[in-house]
Amino acid sequence: MEYKTASPDRYKLLKAFALENRRNATLAEQVLWEHLRGNALGVKFLRQYIVGDYIADFFAPDAGLIIEVDGGYHAERKQQEYDEIRTEDINNIGFNVIRFSNEEVLYDTENVIDKILETIDHYE
């Protein structure tokens, strides 16, 4: 699937942020990455990848899927509003976004992986 990346004036800045995010992944992101890396689920995932004007936590271009792992601040109203806009923008580019809380990834990992696999199967 073809996708657009950030506008040229933002790309360099986003690329620096993405690199910093990869270097400083949260524990939940590290745990999930161990289950996604190396085509473990049958599709290639990329970490902290620029899609449109956003940085996706995990991106599977061939499955049209973006996975976001949300920390506690995502429960705040303003952040939820931003997340809704972000999800809508990414959906308009042509990708499906699924979100998991840190707690889901850390304490219910098997269910998270099952939901990801269901989403991948649904896409194919």
Side-chain angles (χ1 to χ4, degrees):
M1 175 178 279
E2 189 173 324
Y3 60 94
K4 72 171 193 160
T5 190
S7 55
D9 61 324
R10 295 185 203 160
Y11 183 81
K12 189 173 183 178
L13 181 63
L14 287 172
K15 188 172 181 178
F17 284 146
L19 180 59
E20 185 68 21
N21 290 347
R22 278 193 297 276
R23 289 181 179 155
N24 295 301
T26 66
L27 178 59
E29 290 170 344
Q30 292 171 29
V31 167
L32 187 54
W33 180 239
E34 288 304 313
H35 293 276
L36 300 177
R37 69 187 309 163
N39 294 354
L41 301 183
V43 296
K44 180 178 182 174
F45 278 92
L46 305 165
R47 292 186 306 145
Q48 300 298 327
Y49 198 82
I50 300 168
V51 177
D53 286 331
Y54 303 102
I55 301 171
D57 288 338
F58 301 99
F59 177 46
D62 293 338
L65 177 62
I66 290 174
I67 301 170
E68 293 293 330
V69 179
D70 295 339
Y73 69 94
H74 286 270
E76 296 175 11
R77 187 179 56 80
K78 281 209 174 270
Q79 186 62 45
Q80 288 177 342
E81 291 169 0
Y82 172 78
D83 288 344
E84 285 179 29
I85 292 166
R86 173 188 167 107
T87 296
E88 184 177 322
D89 287 349
I90 292 171
N91 289 154
N92 288 336
I93 297 171
F95 298 110
N96 187 22
V97 178
I98 56 175
R99 295 182 170 277
F100 300 101
S101 69
N102 285 345
E103 292 75 22
E104 286 176 293
V105 172
L106 294 173
Y107 305 113
D108 197 10
T109 310
E110 189 173 317
N111 189 43
V112 167
I113 298 304
D114 287 345
K115 287 179 182 178
I116 294 168
L117 286 168
E118 287 172 18
T119 305
I120 291 170
D121 287 344
H122 184 266
Y123 182 81
E124 296 177 327

Coordinates of all heavy atoms in Angstrom, one line a residue, residues 35-36 40-43 45 65 67 98 100 110-124:
H35 N 7.2 -9.1 20.5 CA 6.2 -9.9 19.8 C 6.0 -9.6 18.4 O 5.4 -10.4 17.6 CB 4.9 -9.9 20.6 CG 5.0 -10.5 21.9 ND1 4.9 -11.8 22.2 CD2 5.2 -9.9 23.1 CE1 5.0 -12.0 23.5 NE2 5.2 -10.9 24.1
L36 N 6.4 -8.4 17.9 CA 6.2 -8.0 16.6 C 7.4 -8.1 15.6 O 7.2 -8.3 14.4 CB 5.7 -6.5 16.5 CG 4.5 -6.2 17.3 CD1 4.2 -4.7 17.3 CD2 3.3 -6.9 16.8
A40 N 7.3 -11.8 13.2 CA 6.8 -12.8 14.1 C 5.3 -13.1 13.9 O 4.8 -14.2 14.1 CB 7.1 -12.4 15.5
L41 N 4.5 -12.1 13.5 CA 3.1 -12.3 13.3 C 2.7 -12.4 11.8 O 1.6 -12.4 11.4 CB 2.3 -11.1 13.9 CG 2.5 -10.9 15.4 CD1 1.6 -9.8 15.9 CD2 2.2 -12.2 16.2
G42 N 3.7 -12.6 11.0 CA 3.5 -12.9 9.5 C 3.5 -11.6 8.7 O 3.4 -11.7 7.5
V43 N 3.7 -10.5 9.3 CA 3.9 -9.2 8.6 C 5.0 -8.4 9.2 O 5.4 -8.6 10.4 CB 2.6 -8.3 8.6 CG1 1.5 -9.0 7.8 CG2 2.2 -8.0 10.0
F45 N 6.7 -5.3 10.8 CA 6.4 -4.1 11.6 C 7.6 -3.2 11.7 O 8.7 -3.7 11.8 CB 5.9 -4.4 13.0 CG 4.5 -4.8 13.1 CD1 4.1 -6.2 13.0 CD2 3.5 -3.9 13.3 CE1 2.7 -6.5 13.0 CE2 2.1 -4.2 13.3 CZ 1.8 -5.5 13.2
L65 N -1.8 -1.3 8.8 CA -2.1 -1.3 10.3 C -1.1 -0.4 11.0 O 0.1 -0.5 10.8 CB -2.1 -2.7 10.8 CG -2.3 -2.9 12.3 CD1 -3.7 -2.3 12.7 CD2 -2.2 -4.3 12.7
I67 N -0.3 0.5 15.1 CA -0.6 0.1 16.5 C -0.1 1.3 17.4 O 1.1 1.6 17.3 CB 0.0 -1.2 16.9 CG1 -0.5 -2.3 16.1 CG2 -0.2 -1.5 18.4 CD1 0.3 -3.6 16.2
I98 N -5.2 0.8 15.7 CA -5.7 0.1 16.9 C -4.8 0.6 18.1 O -3.6 0.9 17.9 CB -5.7 -1.4 16.8 CG1 -4.4 -2.0 16.5 CG2 -6.8 -1.8 15.8 CD1 -4.4 -3.5 16.5
F100 N -3.8 0.3 22.3 CA -3.8 -0.5 23.5 C -3.2 0.3 24.6 O -2.3 1.1 24.3 CB -2.9 -1.8 23.3 CG -3.4 -2.7 22.3 CD1 -2.8 -2.7 21.0 CD2 -4.5 -3.5 22.5 CE1 -3.3 -3.5 20.0 CE2 -5.0 -4.4 21.5 CZ -4.3 -4.4 20.3
E110 N -1.2 -11.6 25.7 CA -1.8 -12.6 24.8 C -3.0 -12.1 24.1 O -3.2 -12.3 22.9 CB -2.1 -13.9 25.6 CG -2.4 -15.1 24.7 CD -2.6 -16.4 25.5 OE1 -1.8 -16.6 26.3 OE2 -3.6 -17.1 25.2
N111 N -3.9 -11.4 24.8 CA -5.1 -10.9 24.3 C -4.7 -9.8 23.2 O -5.4 -9.7 22.2 CB -6.0 -10.3 25.4 CG -7.4 -9.9 24.8 OD1 -8.0 -10.6 24.0 ND2 -7.9 -8.8 25.3
V112 N -3.7 -9.0 23.6 CA -3.3 -7.9 22.6 C -2.8 -8.5 21.3 O -3.2 -8.1 20.2 CB -2.2 -7.0 23.3 CG1 -1.5 -6.2 22.2 CG2 -2.7 -6.2 24.4
I113 N -2.0 -9.6 21.4 CA -1.5 -10.2 20.2 C -2.6 -10.8 19.4 O -2.7 -10.7 18.2 CB -0.4 -11.3 20.6 CG1 0.8 -10.7 21.3 CG2 0.0 -12.1 19.3 CD1 1.5 -9.6 20.5
D114 N -3.6 -11.4 20.1 CA -4.8 -12.0 19.4 C -5.5 -10.9 18.7 O -6.0 -11.1 17.5 CB -5.7 -12.7 20.4 CG -5.2 -14.0 21.0 OD1 -4.2 -14.6 20.4 OD2 -5.7 -14.5 22.0
K115 N -5.7 -9.8 19.3 CA -6.5 -8.7 18.6 C -5.7 -8.2 17.4 O -6.3 -7.8 16.4 CB -6.7 -7.5 19.6 CG -7.8 -7.8 20.6 CD -8.0 -6.7 21.6 CE -9.0 -7.0 22.6 NZ -9.2 -5.9 23.6
I116 N -4.4 -8.1 17.5 CA -3.5 -7.7 16.4 C -3.7 -8.7 15.2 O -3.9 -8.3 14.1 CB -2.1 -7.5 16.8 CG1 -1.9 -6.3 17.8 CG2 -1.2 -7.3 15.6 CD1 -0.6 -6.2 18.4
L117 N -3.6 -10.0 15.6 CA -3.7 -11.0 14.5 C -5.1 -11.0 13.9 O -5.2 -11.1 12.7 CB -3.5 -12.4 15.2 CG -2.0 -12.7 15.5 CD1 -1.9 -14.0 16.3 CD2 -1.2 -12.8 14.2
E118 N -6.1 -10.8 14.7 CA -7.5 -10.6 14.1 C -7.6 -9.5 13.1 O -8.2 -9.6 12.1 CB -8.5 -10.4 15.2 CG -8.8 -11.7 16.0 CD -9.7 -11.4 17.3 OE1 -10.3 -10.3 17.3 OE2 -9.7 -12.2 18.2
T119 N -7.0 -8.4 13.5 CA -7.0 -7.2 12.6 C -6.2 -7.4 11.3 O -6.7 -7.1 10.3 CB -6.4 -6.0 13.4 OG1 -7.1 -5.8 14.6 CG2 -6.5 -4.7 12.5
I120 N -5.1 -8.1 11.4 CA -4.3 -8.5 10.3 C -5.1 -9.4 9.4 O -5.2 -9.2 8.2 CB -2.9 -9.1 10.7 CG1 -2.0 -8.1 11.3 CG2 -2.3 -9.7 9.4 CD1 -0.8 -8.6 12.0
D121 N -5.7 -10.4 10.0 CA -6.5 -11.4 9.2 C -7.7 -10.7 8.5 O -8.0 -11.0 7.4 CB -7.0 -12.5 10.1 CG -5.9 -13.5 10.5 OD1 -4.9 -13.5 9.8 OD2 -6.1 -14.2 11.5
H122 N -8.3 -9.8 9.2 CA -9.4 -9.0 8.6 C -9.0 -8.2 7.4 O -9.8 -8.0 6.5 CB -10.1 -8.2 9.7 CG -11.3 -7.4 9.2 ND1 -11.3 -6.2 8.7 CD2 -12.6 -7.9 9.2 CE1 -12.5 -5.8 8.4 NE2 -13.3 -6.8 8.6
Y123 N -7.8 -7.7 7.5 CA -7.3 -6.8 6.4 C -7.1 -7.6 5.1 O -7.3 -7.2 4.0 CB -6.0 -6.1 6.8 CG -5.5 -5.2 5.8 CD1 -6.1 -3.9 5.6 CD2 -4.5 -5.5 4.9 CE1 -5.6 -3.0 4.6 CE2 -4.0 -4.7 4.0 CZ -4.6 -3.4 3.8 OH -4.1 -2.6 2.8
E124 N -6.5 -8.8 5.3 CA -6.1 -9.6 4.1 C -7.2 -10.1 3.3 O -8.3 -10.2 3.3 CB -5.3 -10.8 4.6 CG -4.0 -10.3 5.2 CD -3.1 -11.5 5.7 OE1 -3.6 -12.5 6.2 OE2 -1.9 -11.3 5.7

